[in-house]
Amino acid sequence: MSAQLPAGFEALEPFAECWDLDTQAERWAYHLQCSYEELEQFYDAILPLMEALVEHLNKFPLHAMPAPEHRLKNLGLSFMEVAPSIELFGEVDQKDAFDPSRASIVVG
């Protein structure tokens, strides 16, 4: 299998196929089907790379990223979906949190 992510982010390749999701709704739906252990594995793999991920992505225009950077951006967004489950709630379904299906993200 060829690399799907930019150089320096090889440790995230095992997660690219599952977590490269374009919409918040897709990320949340996938999040809910994962076990807590799966979320934790993804979180633990990406957390140490988040600063480098942001620095790398800041070199590209948001709406015209090459495919590897677009995938990396999606992994970063997926991390933001997963982080509250790990850092705050200790469970997959954030029962006491705002229901994400009620939110609408508008870009532009």
Side-chain angles (χ1 to χ4, degrees):
M1 178 172 118
S2 64
Q4 298 181 50
L5 299 170
F9 298 96
E10 294 84 3
L12 301 178
E13 289 289 346
F15 303 98
E17 186 174 337
C18 299
W19 288 104
D20 175 17
L21 303 166
D22 284 319
T23 69
Q24 186 275 334
E26 291 171 315
R27 290 187 292 273
W28 185 248
Y30 185 72
H31 172 143
L32 290 177
Q33 76 174 16
C34 289
S35 68
Y36 185 81
E37 291 74 24
E38 289 168 320
L39 297 183
E40 203 168 36
Q41 288 172 354
F42 175 60
Y43 177 91
D44 289 345
I46 196 170
L47 179 62
L49 298 171
M50 282 303 294
E51 188 173 337
L53 183 151
V54 171
E55 287 177 15
H56 181 79
L57 293 180
N58 278 338
K59 299 173 189 172
F60 301 90
L62 183 60
H63 298 293
M65 289 185 172
E69 280 72 21
H70 180 79
R71 287 193 224 23
L72 187 62
K73 173 189 65 101
N74 283 347
L75 292 182
L77 292 172
S78 291
F79 168 80
M80 290 182 241
E81 297 287 340
V82 168
S85 287
I86 304 300
E87 296 173 1
L88 301 173
F89 296 99
E91 60 186 355
V92 173
D93 189 2
Q94 303 163 10
K95 293 174 182 64
D96 294 326
F98 182 80
D99 180 2
S101 68
R102 294 179 46 211
S104 176
I105 297 174
V106 179
V107 177

